[in-house]
Amino acid sequence: MEFFNDPALATCPASDEFELMVFGPGCGECLVLHCGDQQWCIIDSCRYPRQNLPIALQYLEKLGVEPKTAVRSILVTHWHDDHIRGMATIVRQCSAARFNISGALHSEQFFHLVLEAEEANKLVKASSSASEFGEILEVLEQRQDPPPYSVEDGAMIYQNIQERTVLVQAISPSPETVRQTRTMLADRILADTQTRQFRKVGPNDLSVAVQVITVPAMPTIKMFGPKSFQTRR
Amino acid sequence: MIAEATLPSLCNEQDRSPSLPTDSARWAVSRSLAVESEATTSHLLEQEKDTQFDKADIVKVRTIDKQTASIDIGGSLKMLDQQWECVVVGRDDETIHCELHDLSDPDNESEYGEVFLTEFSEYDRPRLKEGAVFYWSVGRLREEHGQIRKFSELRLRPTPRISQAAQRRIAERAKKLNGIFQRSSPGYLPGQ
């Protein structure tokens, strides 16, 4: 990848540096955070055209970081196709990381819709992201620890316990949104099986928005993204 | 009679197929050339004068897969240039709104499109509800005598029936999966 040739981007941050990398063909389809002490978080996932490996893993590989142990938390903010491509590969490779999804999607009915869509995909060729989620569920079923979490407003996605320097906290979805979604999902399960679809579930108000707090402010922040977004401080 | 179909651009920024127009957000579709069947609505968009078939074109087109890229249909050869899986996300009186996923190259970004209901057969229209899936294929049809025409085809995907045994298995697995997810509450501090 062209931008990886920039030597500044190919340097692993020091233990006391916070780094936020923003990737994506649009803007922010994947965020990679270095939270200090060689601990990393990945938020959403994307793949660049003609690339098999998700961009987050490519970046960590370039830095010489071992995702299996270094990635501590993975978050899927919402289930839109452009934010989840390659997420199953990330979950599989980052075996020490806790997997987080929106609390609105933590319901038996939602999992039922996903598995149903995945089953349908086996019968006909389809590109539904249900297959990506189905693969993640398979990995999580086999993995006992750490258990996956569903997050709501106020929940901690990550906290650097040792240094107490970085905090990643969810500020949505609200408990009311979670309740409404579960009701909607239950209704959908009772709906016409010919057209009910997994992929339509997941409008933006179910998304997990996060705030990242660094206390005290860590010395270096690197940001990278599309040219229109690119900022360095 | 000319019907106008609002269809998305054939190619996005990352992908430009050399054999297709890239700025055809709105297509004028000649109904007089349309070939319709119960489950399929086809439009022959353009008749090319060049009857010399260049085999090198087959190599240039991006194929869906090796088996389906070109199909021999009774002496005519149907060559797919590009194909999308389209998921209906909404519907009004005249059009359906859909998300388009490029099957030719899954790396391409998903797009959004609107299609007139009249593009589909009367049999299919009631089935085009939210969640329904259809395929949009574009390519070229080389007729037996060598003439080449471009075609655009919409085909509704039959929704597969999932067996009762599979439904039971899914329900059990969904219940189990629901159990492995732990719910975090505000203020909870996960041990990292």
Side-chain angles (χ1 to χ4, degrees):
Chain A
M1 303 283 286
E2 197 179 298
F3 54 81
F4 282 163
N5 295 333
D6 185 339
L9 296 175
T11 312
C12 196
S15 289
D16 62 346
E17 283 182 335
F18 172 79
E19 181 183 277
L20 169 64
M21 300 296 280
V22 183
F23 297 105
C27 182
E29 280 83 3
C30 174
L31 276 69
V32 181
L33 287 79
H34 175 247
C35 304
D37 302 324
Q38 294 308 311
Q39 294 192 1
W40 297 77
C41 293
I42 297 174
I43 299 177
D44 290 341
S45 174
C46 67
R47 277 197 304 247
Y48 277 58
R50 259 74 53 196
Q51 302 282 322
N52 286 328
L53 204 60
I55 189 68
L57 294 181
Q58 279 192 52
Y59 178 61
L60 295 178
E61 191 179 85
K62 180 79 180 172
L63 298 181
V65 171
E66 178 56 66
K68 189 176 177 181
T69 51
V71 179
R72 310 309 293 267
S73 200
I74 299 167
L75 169 68
V76 174
T77 59
H78 62 296
W79 210 263
H80 276 174
D81 281 8
D82 56 339
H83 285 254
I84 51 101
R85 284 197 179 131
M87 184 50 86
T89 309
I90 292 176
V91 174
R92 196 177 290 280
Q93 290 203 18
C94 304
S95 53
R98 194 182 73 176
F99 178 72
N100 302 276
I101 56 166
S102 166
L105 304 182
H106 177 193
S107 80
E108 198 175 317
Q109 287 78 15
F110 179 69
F111 296 138
H112 191 112
L113 286 175
V114 172
L115 297 173
E116 206 173 57
E118 194 192 13
E119 185 74 21
N121 287 353
K122 289 175 189 167
L123 304 176
V124 291
K125 188 174 180 178
S127 61
S128 166
S129 54
S131 301
E132 187 90 39
F133 201 2
E135 199 181 329
I136 291 173
L137 293 176
E138 203 176 307
V139 176
L140 296 175
E141 268 180 316
Q142 293 162 2
R143 184 183 295 166
Q144 298 297 316
D145 192 56
Y149 272 73
S150 60
V151 297
E152 294 178 15
D153 179 15
M156 299 297 173
I157 309 292
Y158 172 84
Q159 183 176 28
N160 186 325
I161 296 291
Q162 286 182 336
E163 302 296 331
R164 294 190 178 276
T165 48
V166 177
L167 181 74
V168 183
Q169 186 178 28
I171 54 174
S172 76
S174 69
E176 178 59 17
T177 304
V178 171
R179 191 192 61 75
Q180 284 176 2
T181 308
R182 292 203 184 116
T183 308
M184 180 269 289
L185 286 167
D187 290 346
R188 192 163 288 207
I189 281 290
L190 299 172
D192 177 14
T193 56
Q194 282 242 304
T195 57
R196 68 191 189 203
Q197 277 280 325
F198 148 81
R199 78 164 75 218
K200 191 64 173 63
V201 180
N204 286 337
D205 58 351
L206 310 182
S207 300
V208 182
V210 295
Q211 60 175 354
V212 180
I213 304 166
T214 59
V215 184
M218 296 178 88
T220 304
I221 297 179
K222 271 197 290 186
M223 291 179 75
F224 180 81
K227 280 185 180 171
S228 56
F229 184 75
Q230 196 167 341
T231 311
R232 298 270 190 89
R233 287 188 276 175
Chain B
M1 176 184 170
I2 301 293
E4 204 171 51
T6 308
L7 292 171
S9 164
L10 286 169
C11 303
N12 62 25
E13 287 301 314
Q14 278 94 35
D15 172 54
R16 294 190 186 282
S17 176
S19 59
L20 295 167
T22 57
D23 56 352
S24 53
R26 295 179 74 82
W27 283 6
V29 180
S30 169
R31 297 290 293 173
S32 61
L33 291 173
V35 177
E36 295 187 7
S37 66
E38 183 177 86
T40 303
T41 306
S42 299
H43 300 293
L44 301 178
L45 293 174
E46 186 181 333
Q47 187 173 341
E48 292 185 350
K49 289 179 181 174
D50 183 12
T51 54
Q52 294 296 313
F53 179 64
D54 183 2
K55 284 188 177 177
D57 283 354
I58 291 182
V59 181
K60 285 179 191 171
V61 301
R62 288 179 304 101
T63 57
I64 311 307
D65 63 51
K66 284 178 183 172
Q67 276 79 40
T68 58
S70 57
I71 309 158
D72 193 338
I73 42 172
S76 300
L77 190 65
K78 198 174 186 181
M79 295 165 289
L80 277 178
D81 283 338
Q82 203 155 4
Q83 189 177 49
W84 289 264
E85 184 190 66
C86 312
V87 182
V88 178
V89 295
R91 174 176 173 152
D92 55 35
D93 292 342
E94 291 186 340
T95 58
I96 53 165
H97 313 268
C98 52
E99 285 175 5
L100 287 84
H101 304 272
D102 193 343
L103 293 181
S104 320
D105 188 347
D107 284 334
N108 283 342
E109 289 300 296
S110 299
E111 296 178 78
Y112 176 82
E114 291 180 3
V115 183
F116 277 118
L117 279 165
T118 49
E119 299 299 314
F120 295 88
S121 69
E122 285 187 12
Y123 176 82
D124 283 341
R125 284 175 208 165
R127 301 156 77 191
L128 287 160
K129 292 186 277 189
E130 179 190 318
V133 175
F134 64 91
Y135 294 99
W136 177 28
S137 310
V138 291
R140 286 162 296 154
L141 184 70
R142 188 187 64 161
E143 292 176 345
E144 205 169 357
H145 50 274
Q147 204 169 37
I148 300 174
R149 295 164 185 265
K150 285 185 177 175
F151 73 88
S152 171
E153 181 178 286
L154 301 171
R155 180 170 56 84
L156 190 66
R157 182 182 96 177
T159 308
R161 290 277 179 196
I162 298 174
S163 68
Q164 286 194 338
Q167 283 285 3
R168 279 195 296 273
R169 195 176 66 241
I170 286 169
E172 282 169 22
R173 196 165 161 225
K175 195 172 183 178
K176 188 184 162 197
L177 282 165
N178 195 42
I180 67 168
F181 272 80
Q182 296 184 17
R183 210 176 295 278
S184 64
S185 56
Y188 173 78
L189 291 175
Q192 294 287 336

